[in-house]
Amino acid sequence: MLLKGVLTSISLAVVAITTAAVPIKQRFEARQEQDLVSWDKYSLIVNGERIFLFSGEFHYYRLPSPGLWFDIAEKFKALEFNGISFYFYWGYHSPKKGVYDFSGIRDVQKAFDAAEAAKLHVVTRAGPYINAEVDAGGYPGWLTNMYSMARNSNPENDENSREWLEAIGKYLVPNQITEGGNVILNQIDNEYADNTDEFYMEMIKEKFKEDGMVVPTIFNDIGAPNGNWVNGTGSVDIYGWDSYPLLFDCANPTEWPNNRSTHWRAMHEKLNPSQPFALYEFQGGAFDPWGGPGYDACRTMVNEQYAKVYYKNNYAQGATIQNLYMTYGGTSWGGVAKPSVYTSYDYAAPISEPGLMTPKGYEAKIQGTFLHTVKPFLTTEHFEPETTNSDIILVDGLADVNSNAKFYVAQHWLTKSQDLDEFKITVDTSDGKFTVPQKGKLILNGRDAKILAADLDFNSQHLVYSTSEIFTYQAMGSHDVILVYAYEKEDGEFALKVKNGNIKVQTKDKSVSHKIKDGVLQVNYKHPKGTTPIYVSSKSGQDLLILVAGYDAATRWWAPIVDEKTGERVLINGPYLVRGAEIADNKVAFTGDIDEDTDIQVVVPENVKAFSWNGKDIKLRATGHGSWTGKLKFGRPTVEFTDLTKATWKYSPASPETQPDFDDSAWLDANHLQTNSVTVTDTYPYLYADDYGFHTGNVWLRGKFNGTADITGFNLTCHSGDASAWMIWLNGEYLGGYDVGNQDFTDLNGSLIDPEGENVISILLWTTGHEDNWNADDNFKQARGFTKSELLGIPNQTIWSIKWKIQGNLGGEDLADPVRGPYNEGGLYGERNGWHLPGFPDDDWEDATIPETKNRTGVSWYRTTFEVNVPEGYDAPMSVRFKDDTKTRYRVLLFVNGWQLGRYANDLGPQTQYYIPQGILNIKGENSMSIAVIPIDEAAQLGQVTLEPYIVLESAIPPVELVESPTYSDRVGK
């Protein structure tokens, strides 16, 4: 008979600190009625249940297809995240002061609905400032023209901030847990730690409270536990901080610092000891800049080994709230990005930009399953265990205050270590003291970390200790199941409390050995390539199935919940993705995705006799002890899409603004003599695009001056963000293309300047968004334009010697296309005239081929239509790839069905492949593609453009509706 261990006094090393973990319902002014979310020093308690909040960041505005939000939320749940964090992006919803849009792709209620469908807790983060590598740190473009400082308490900023908070609050308030929703925490501003104003923070808190937010408030201190907003005016209910320990140098992906924190526990106990230890942003990946090494390099840096070492160190320090930034990164489509980053925001996150599984995602699933299964891990106090090799290997001891359970978190002292080192741990249990392993070796092989358990009651069993990590355990009717794992070929030792005699250990693995001494069954084994079942039985009591997995096999084990109330799970190994499972009428129905023929093993209660996969019955073979095996057949579908190298393309030149006789009479006069920008000008008038209501994309300026024999040229200084560029023409003649900075154009008299007539300077400015406001210094108000414009050769010119006009996106802040919104289009001639929209009549354009065979001067536009057909029951996320070997510099805007989904810079890179999300992409028919090519050098030749899927999956992806958006006829019909 298998026995649970008798609960005796725990080790003297920890007895002094092991007081019972009794939830304390925190009370806060005017919110006494809220008792659904409480906390103590150990963790959150939600609806009376103690939880580890294993949350992930998702930006709805980086996936402009709401149907896919449900797909991503399902994947969060499948990877064992029980929470999802949403930034809410002010600028995404507000093109103009007083104007707010929460429809279509901005319908945030659908984000809440997706979280609800996946049964995820929600953390809301509405700023007003969010950072997030988005344009202006999340501020709307129109806020650049605010006179007063942002992130500061003053009447103008308070009014604007309250306007936003009231607009978004209409969606936050009814989705709180107190209203039947999923919102459990609400953040105040974001990383506000420099140039702070306590009354600004208090204003945000009071506005949320006024509008009906009652869930606990939180704050994410920047980089370390600095103590901002723990106490006093502006303070929050549950303080926490952010950390990005590997930073963002993906160019050296295997170089790690030795910077794992060992002082966070002490800082938490000093700063906010009555609250749980919270990491509201912990590094889930890394962003990559223009010209960077690309996200493959970032995935190498912040890989699954990083997740093992750094996340488990967080748990060793006592964290029970951890939000991974990012868990799904997405796409900074249109002008969403800040200047330092390009279109892809893949972030090397656990779920990739096109929604694919990654090794780090699988590791997160393993950790999350453990955290949700092993409840004693949530109420622990630290102790110093007795170990060997302690100068090389750090082992943190964690003792549960409600039981005898202990945990040992082992890692190298040097986080960058790639050495293989042995160690032993002396575990003091209610069953005796053991130095483990007693047989074989316990190792850390390079960048690895282990959480080992001892003296742990689970189901009907009592674990004395294990040198394998626990994935999960579950009662399965007449027997219990525990799944443990380690890297392949590593030794494992599993000790179980038993009653002497009548114990039978069954396995087909001849490397497994066992012995019984003093009522403890010791099982030794090698972790296999795959999974070894070991069955421990007796004539009475609950039997135990031990599943010993190698690490690769563990990544493909899934433990979907089949009963939310009881937390009951079933186990399945093999599939690429398991989205969920349900049991009804002795049948388990799995849903998920596969990428090939897949051998599966399932472990279920003995009453389950039938199985289905994605709605189709499957035949499995019983192998004993509730285990079944079989195969899922991959259908090998035909995914059809147009070969763009053979498509019919249309071409048109598109920079008439360069010609002297171009009619710019409808353009705005650029004549402002005042600005609210923080950028100092050298000459007047101000030539800053934001001052004239143009906040995104390309901007044209035209300056006219009367020639004289004395004028030799002119001088211009461009001020814009990283990866910006500007091209200039005089009287229709190309003068050059440049990065930001100053340029002299000299010796033009006698050649290009007409000394007796009017001369026209034409400038096209390619912008890449606004800076952020991280330091609360109004940095987001930096100009996008020119700080100097003067003629050369005449000393007494006036500020009106050059008369400037400016043009940007059609309508400026009064959007021509509010459906696609304020970041979709800029001021190119083709954009303003709808050339990017489906249905534009391009019949009279010139025929062309891509790759282009001609060097084209000025802006060029290419259009085509293409077909995509993905069969039902499959998911084939699609992309557009650019490839060329030209040395001439150019930029590209990629539009699919009118949506700007890519900015390509052939001279900067690194991005060449652009995700086209289903819902924007019609996967059952015709689509349109428009490509704008902007040479920086005098001429450019567009290279190869191809369509290709990232992967083809047989999938249970939820239905994804087409996003309704206007066509060309809708625009001209206005």
Side-chain angles (χ1 to χ4, degrees):
M1 177 179 180
L2 308 182
L3 297 177
K4 294 179 70 168
V6 177
L7 300 181
T8 61
S9 60
I10 74 171
S11 137
L12 292 177
V14 296
V15 70
I17 54 175
T18 54
T19 56
V22 179
I24 301 171
K25 293 180 179 178
Q26 302 292 324
R27 295 299 185 184
F28 20 84
E29 184 181 356
R31 290 185 286 182
Q32 288 88 344
E33 75 281 359
Q34 195 288 118
D35 60 359
L36 298 179
V37 183
S38 58
W39 67 88
D40 57 20
K41 64 181 292 186
Y42 298 107
S43 75
L44 291 174
I45 299 98
V46 180
N47 278 326
E49 178 188 2
R50 186 178 295 281
I51 68 166
F52 189 112
L53 183 59
F54 191 60
S55 176
E57 191 76 21
F58 168 66
H59 296 164
Y60 62 90
Y61 47 83
R62 282 189 161 115
L63 185 57
S65 177
L68 285 176
W69 301 350
F70 291 81
D71 174 53
I72 297 300
E74 276 192 359
K75 289 169 178 171
F76 270 54
K77 187 67 171 181
L79 293 180
E80 292 293 334
F81 291 91
N82 63 346
I84 190 167
S85 173
F86 294 137
Y87 270 143
F88 295 91
Y89 182 177
W90 186 356
Y92 195 68
H93 296 275
S94 182
K96 183 178 182 179
K97 180 171 171 54
V99 176
Y100 289 90
D101 183 2
F102 294 94
S103 63
I105 62 168
R106 293 168 183 80
D107 185 353
V108 297
Q109 184 56 50
K110 289 184 178 178
F112 288 117
D113 292 346
E116 170 70 29
K119 298 178 175 60
L120 298 171
H121 300 299
V122 175
V123 179
T124 52
R125 309 204 297 162
Y129 180 76
I130 62 171
N131 203 59
E133 288 76 59
V134 296
D135 182 72
Y139 286 146
W142 56 264
L143 205 70
T144 60
N145 293 320
M146 180 173 68
Y147 172 79
S148 303
M149 284 195 72
R151 302 188 89 182
N152 180 274
S153 182
N154 57 72
E156 186 181 17
N157 183 58
D158 285 359
E159 176 196 344
N160 289 327
S161 297
R162 287 171 62 85
E163 179 184 286
W164 159 243
L165 295 174
E166 182 165 334
I168 190 62
K170 293 175 182 177
Y171 296 88
L172 306 189
V173 170
N175 282 288
Q176 294 177 99
I177 190 171
T178 54
E179 304 295 325
N182 284 35
V183 176
I184 62 170
L185 299 172
N186 183 43
Q187 183 172 295
I188 307 299
D189 205 74
N190 184 72
E191 298 176 334
Y192 186 45
D194 199 9
N195 296 318
T196 58
D197 181 339
E198 63 187 10
F199 299 108
Y200 166 71
M201 283 287 283
E202 192 67 20
M203 177 274 296
I204 300 171
K205 283 175 53 182
E206 288 302 310
K207 179 56 180 170
F208 276 130
K209 176 180 172 182
E210 172 188 317
D211 290 339
M213 291 298 289
V214 298
V215 296
T217 56
I218 63 173
F219 173 72
N220 57 332
D221 214 344
I222 179 60
N226 299 309
N228 292 297
W229 316 114
V230 174
N231 299 299
T233 303
S235 63
V236 296
D237 296 317
I238 308 176
Y239 167 82
W241 58 88
D242 299 351
S243 181
Y244 292 80
L246 291 196
L247 300 177
F248 307 100
D249 183 14
C250 299
N252 298 287
T254 61
E255 296 298 319
W256 282 14
N258 287 317
N259 67 340
R260 174 234 306 102
S261 170
T262 56
H263 70 281
W264 279 354
R265 177 182 293 274
M267 291 302 298
H268 168 242
E269 290 174 352
K270 177 182 177 181
L271 290 172
N272 59 328
S274 65
Q275 302 165 11
F277 176 6
L279 291 165
Y280 292 121
E281 286 184 29
F282 195 80
Q283 186 167 10
F287 64 77
D288 192 46
W290 289 100
Y295 280 113
D296 285 345
C298 293
R299 289 201 177 281
T300 300
M301 182 176 77
V302 278
N303 59 8
E304 72 280 5
Q305 292 175 320
Y306 158 80
K308 283 171 170 280
V309 172
Y310 281 90
Y311 300 170
K312 291 178 184 179
N313 180 68
N314 293 343
Y315 314 148
Q317 290 293 303
T320 57
I321 298 175
Q322 178 179 268
N323 181 57
L324 297 185
Y325 186 104
M326 299 291 298
T327 295
Y328 172 78
T331 306
S332 296
W333 65 280
V336 163
K338 65 173 285 188
S340 59
V341 294
Y342 47 89
T343 299
S344 176
Y345 199 69
D346 179 276
Y347 215 85
I351 303 171
S352 72
E353 181 181 10
L356 307 183
M357 299 294 98
T358 68
K360 184 166 56 186
Y362 289 142
E363 172 61 27
K365 175 199 63 177
I366 293 172
Q367 292 185 27
T369 310
F370 168 82
L371 295 170
H372 303 322
T373 299
V374 186
K375 292 295 186 179
F377 193 68
L378 305 188
T379 50
T380 63
E381 297 285 356
H382 188 268
F383 70 96
E384 296 291 339
E386 182 182 343
T387 67
T388 64
N389 212 4
S390 58
D391 57 335
I392 293 175
I393 293 177
L394 167 66
V395 180
D396 286 288
L398 303 175
D400 178 32
V401 300
N402 296 318
S403 72
N404 288 338
K406 301 186 189 71
F407 305 91
Y408 302 84
V409 185
Q411 53 190 314
H412 278 102
W413 271 105
L414 298 179
T415 51
K416 70 178 183 179
S417 174
Q418 300 189 57
D419 296 337
L420 187 155
D421 292 295
E422 297 181 32
F423 65 106
K424 290 179 180 288
I425 303 173
T426 299
V427 296
D428 193 356
T429 77
S430 56
D431 306 291
K433 182 180 285 190
F434 304 87
T435 298
V436 301
Q438 299 185 65
K439 180 181 178 181
K441 297 178 180 179
L442 177 58
I443 64 171
L444 277 180
N445 190 355
R447 293 171 175 175
D448 190 14
K450 297 176 185 286
I451 303 175
L452 307 180
D455 225 358
L456 174 67
D457 294 322
F458 69 97
N459 305 131
S460 300
Q461 316 293 333
H462 179 73
L463 175 70
V464 180
Y465 65 83
S466 172
T467 65
S468 302
E469 293 190 82
I470 296 173
F471 187 127
T472 189
Y473 46 72
Q474 181 67 47
M476 294 285 186
S478 65
H479 65 277
D480 299 320
V481 178
I482 187 168
L483 174 59
V484 297
Y485 68 96
Y487 280 124
E488 288 76 5
K489 298 183 179 180
E490 287 191 12
D491 293 334
E493 187 168 291
F494 187 97
L496 191 71
K497 182 75 171 180
V498 296
K499 183 178 180 180
N500 288 329
N502 299 320
I503 300 299
K504 187 175 182 181
V505 178
Q506 297 173 276
T507 182
K508 294 181 179 179
D509 187 339
K510 295 181 179 179
S511 70
V512 176
S513 64
H514 72 277
K515 69 177 183 178
I516 300 174
K517 182 180 180 182
D518 298 330
V520 175
L521 169 66
Q522 177 187 319
V523 183
N524 290 88
Y525 45 83
K526 287 277 190 185
H527 289 87
K529 183 179 180 180
T531 303
T532 294
I534 303 172
Y535 198 71
V536 181
S537 61
S538 67
K539 292 184 178 179
S540 60
Q542 289 282 94
D543 296 345
L544 176 64
L545 174 63
I546 308 169
L547 297 171
V548 178
Y551 182 74
D552 287 346
T555 65
R556 291 297 185 100
W557 273 103
W558 307 82
I561 293 174
V562 292
D563 188 324
E564 289 290 337
K565 291 182 179 179
T566 65
E568 180 185 354
R569 297 171 180 264
V570 294
L571 303 177
I572 178 171
N573 175 255
Y576 173 87
L577 169 66
V578 176
R579 295 173 181 266
E582 295 180 353
I583 292 180
D585 299 325
N586 300 326
K587 179 178 182 179
V588 61
F590 292 103
T591 56
D593 299 9
I594 57 173
D595 56 347
E596 60 184 355
D597 288 349
T598 302
D599 292 323
I600 64 169
Q601 177 182 359
V602 301
V603 182
V604 294
E606 61 250 355
N607 64 310
V608 173
K609 304 294 183 184
F611 307 89
S612 69
W613 177 261
N614 292 345
K616 297 179 181 179
D617 290 342
I618 54 175
K619 295 289 187 181
L620 300 182
R621 181 174 64 88
T623 56
H625 316 306
S627 295
W628 301 70
T629 60
K631 184 182 288 287
L632 298 176
K633 289 285 190 177
F634 185 67
R636 311 204 188 294
T638 299
V639 176
E640 299 174 329
F641 50 90
T642 300
D643 182 348
L644 295 181
T645 64
K646 298 177 182 178
T648 301
W649 288 89
K650 291 289 189 174
Y651 158 79
S652 176
S655 45
E657 300 94 338
T658 64
Q659 299 305 308
D661 59 354
F662 176 78
D663 181 8
D664 60 15
S665 60
W667 288 23
L668 295 180
D669 292 326
N671 57 8
H672 290 191
L673 300 180
Q674 292 181 321
T675 186
N676 289 322
S677 172
V678 296
T679 303
V680 177
T681 190
D682 294 315
T683 62
Y684 295 92
Y686 285 100
L687 303 179
Y688 300 169
D690 288 300
D691 290 11
Y692 301 93
F694 303 123
H695 306 302
T696 194
N698 292 283
V699 177
W700 278 98
L701 295 101
R702 282 169 55 90
K704 298 177 182 179
F705 64 93
N706 294 320
T708 70
D710 295 326
I711 299 175
T712 60
F714 43 87
N715 180 285
L716 296 166
T717 299
C718 178
H719 190 96
S720 194
D722 294 347
S724 294
W726 56 289
M727 291 64 69
I728 183 167
W729 294 260
L730 176 62
N731 296 329
E733 296 294 325
Y734 173 81
L735 297 184
Y738 306 94
D739 299 329
V740 296
N742 179 261
Q743 291 293 329
D744 271 331
F745 299 92
T746 59
D747 300 324
L748 300 179
N749 53 328
S751 56
L752 295 181
I753 292 178
D754 181 352
E756 298 180 351
E758 184 179 69
N759 296 269
V760 181
I761 303 168
S762 300
I763 303 173
L764 175 57
L765 173 59
W766 167 283
T767 70
T768 54
H770 299 84
E771 309 301 335
D772 58 39
N773 196 34
W774 192 77
N775 290 316
D777 56 2
D778 270 5
N779 191 49
F780 76 104
K781 295 180 182 176
Q782 282 198 41
R784 297 298 177 252
F786 291 82
T787 59
K788 188 174 186 179
S789 66
E790 65 179 4
L791 298 174
L792 301 177
I794 53 172
N796 297 317
Q797 61 187 293
T798 73
I799 61 174
W800 308 117
S801 294
I802 306 175
K803 295 182 179 179
W804 288 98
K805 293 264 194 173
I806 190 168
Q807 187 63 280
N809 65 292
L810 184 63
E813 293 178 359
D814 296 306
L815 301 180
D817 185 354
V819 172
R820 295 183 179 89
Y823 299 105
N824 191 61
E825 57 189 70
L828 293 181
Y829 185 83
E831 291 177 293
R832 294 176 54 79
N833 285 280
W835 293 5
H836 59 298
L837 296 173
F840 175 79
D842 56 17
D843 292 345
D844 59 349
W845 285 20
E846 177 184 331
D847 289 340
T849 59
I850 292 181
E852 177 62 272
T853 58
K854 299 177 182 178
N855 259 358
R856 305 283 192 178
T857 60
V859 180
S860 299
W861 278 75
Y862 300 85
R863 286 180 50 86
T864 193
T865 58
F866 64 94
E867 300 277 337
V868 175
N869 190 344
V870 179
E872 291 292 335
Y874 291 88
D875 182 22
M878 298 294 294
S879 69
V880 172
R881 187 185 293 275
F882 292 88
K883 183 179 180 180
D884 68 54
D885 56 5
T886 181
K887 302 304 180 185
T888 57
R889 299 172 298 159
Y890 66 90
R891 303 285 190 267
V892 162
L893 296 181
L894 168 67
F895 293 91
V896 175
N897 294 329
W899 297 81
Q900 187 192 135
L901 297 177
R903 294 183 174 188
Y904 171 59
N906 77 319
D907 58 316
L908 296 179
Q911 188 174 5
T912 59
Q913 186 177 18
Y914 296 82
Y915 174 47
I916 313 299
Q918 183 181 346
I920 298 298
L921 182 72
N922 179 8
I923 64 166
K924 295 292 183 184
E926 186 177 85
N927 300 269
S928 72
M929 183 181 296
S930 304
I931 297 175
V933 180
I934 302 99
I936 299 175
D937 296 324
E938 185 168 7
Q941 188 171 320
L942 180 62
Q944 187 180 70
V945 182
T946 57
L947 277 172
E948 57 184 78
Y950 291 90
I951 195 173
V952 177
L953 298 168
E954 189 171 334
S955 176
I957 182 173
V960 180
E961 69 276 9
L962 283 174
V963 176
E964 294 185 7
S965 52
T967 64
Y968 176 76
S969 61
D970 295 320
R971 173 169 290 193
V972 298
K974 287 186 176 180

